[in-house]
Amino acid sequence: MRLATWNVNSVKARLPRLLGWLEETRPDVVCLQETKCRADMFPAAEVGELGYETAAHGDGRWNGVAVLSRVGVADVTRGLPGEPVYQGAAEDDPQTRLTEPVLTRPEARAIGATCGGVRVWSLYAPNGRTPDSAHYLYKLEWFAALREALAAELSEGAPLVACGDYNVAPTDEDVWDPAVFTGSTHVTPAERRALAELRALGLHDVIPTPMKGPRPYTYWDYRAGMFHKDMGMRIDLFYANDAVVRRVRSAYVDREARKGKGPSDHAPVVVDLDTDPG
């Protein structure tokens, strides 16, 4: 069974690349983040031609998540119980902060589904903006809601994967230069503690093979040739419980999907599982 997670940075803008990647890589289940489209506008028909069912959660703003599966989609959950509502502009685009209305409902950042006997969550954590911002506090509140939701699901004992763009680098080894990130989000003790609390529930960080250089970065800023210089971060994470981890055969960052014209600023993480021995 092949699983993958990918922040596509707009599914419509990246649709030709996504379809080509699905045909070439043939994952059984794909978790997408930052789809940037309403659930009813998701290109389900296009991915359906390749054999994928779709469960999508999005409101057309700057977030949105989805699960694509060739092995069935059941028990879909959109959002998290007790998910916080950010009382501010709807995401971190400076051009919209003064014009976007205050939100009255949770952003579309989490969707869960059961696919081929595995409970899969596609997650897109808030950015946090700056450590002194309200968005940073919202980010920590969102992680607390995620922890509670996953604790409840893990108690059922089924195979579970919680993957996606966590917008946190777990350690200093997961950023190209820790000194550059001093005073920034994504590396603060509170954010890393939130990840540690998820792992304490019984989740394991499946670290992929980097494919270039010593570190498996998954995100590179578009600016200043940072991808080609491998000045990246590992913020797209694949967390799994024991029932999944014991089946992991391989995991890698698909850097090829980050190359060429008009890519996302993230690369997919692909994880291959052995057949469930049970």
Side-chain angles (χ1 to χ4, degrees):
M1 186 175 187
R2 171 165 283 188
L3 310 178
T5 181
W6 191 6
N7 178 323
V8 290
N9 190 13
S10 176
V11 69
K12 291 187 177 180
R14 238 61 67 184
L15 185 57
R17 295 183 66 106
L18 173 62
L19 295 176
W21 182 82
L22 290 172
E23 284 191 286
E24 180 178 352
T25 309
R26 297 187 60 79
D28 296 294
V29 181
V30 185
C31 293
L32 301 179
Q33 302 86 42
E34 205 172 355
T35 56
K36 296 184 180 180
C37 74
R38 294 200 327 248
D40 61 342
M41 299 296 290
F42 190 92
E46 289 88 336
V47 299
E49 292 180 0
L50 300 178
Y52 290 92
E53 295 181 68
T54 297
H57 181 35
D59 60 11
R61 295 177 184 269
W62 294 271
N63 38 67
V65 285
V67 175
L68 312 182
S69 174
R70 299 192 301 159
V71 292
V73 174
D75 306 320
V76 176
T77 303
R78 292 175 173 84
L80 305 170
E83 190 168 0
V85 176
Y86 173 60
Q87 298 298 314
E91 251 306 330
D92 51 1
D93 183 342
Q95 295 180 345
T96 67
R97 292 182 190 175
L98 299 179
T99 59
E100 285 296 321
V102 172
L103 299 179
T104 59
R105 63 186 184 279
E107 297 175 322
R109 294 187 173 276
I111 187 169
T114 301
C115 307
V118 178
R119 185 65 173 168
V120 177
W121 280 90
S122 179
L123 304 169
Y124 179 39
N127 177 281
R129 298 181 183 167
T130 62
D132 60 352
S133 72
H135 205 262
Y136 178 81
L137 296 178
Y138 162 63
K139 181 177 189 175
L140 298 180
E141 292 172 353
W142 186 88
F143 270 114
L146 175 63
R147 183 179 66 249
E148 294 302 315
L150 293 181
E153 296 217 342
L154 286 164
S155 67
E156 299 178 7
L160 184 142
V161 168
C163 61
D165 180 357
Y166 278 76
N167 268 317
V168 183
T171 72
D172 282 353
E173 292 294 308
D174 296 306
V175 296
W176 65 275
D177 184 353
V180 171
F181 294 89
T182 301
S184 301
T185 58
H186 294 57
V187 299
T188 65
E191 291 168 290
R192 288 176 170 173
R193 188 161 51 247
L195 292 186
E197 290 171 352
L198 294 179
R199 296 193 298 271
L201 297 175
L203 293 171
H204 304 271
D205 185 356
V206 178
I207 300 176
T209 301
M211 307 308 287
K212 176 184 177 180
R215 298 173 183 170
Y217 299 140
T218 64
Y219 165 84
W220 301 261
D221 195 288
Y222 285 126
R223 297 172 296 180
M226 294 184 74
F227 174 67
H228 300 290
K229 299 173 186 176
D230 203 29
M231 298 162 65
M233 306 173 69
R234 186 173 76 96
I235 57 176
D236 301 87
L237 308 177
F238 191 98
Y239 278 11
N241 67 351
D242 288 337
V244 173
V245 166
R246 67 170 180 253
R247 296 170 54 189
V248 172
R249 185 170 72 247
S250 65
Y252 68 94
V253 178
D254 189 353
R255 283 178 54 90
E256 294 301 312
R258 178 61 174 80
K259 297 178 180 179
K261 183 178 179 181
S264 170
D265 43 4
H266 296 250
V269 176
V270 181
V271 178
D272 286 320
L273 305 181
D274 286 326
T275 302
D276 188 351

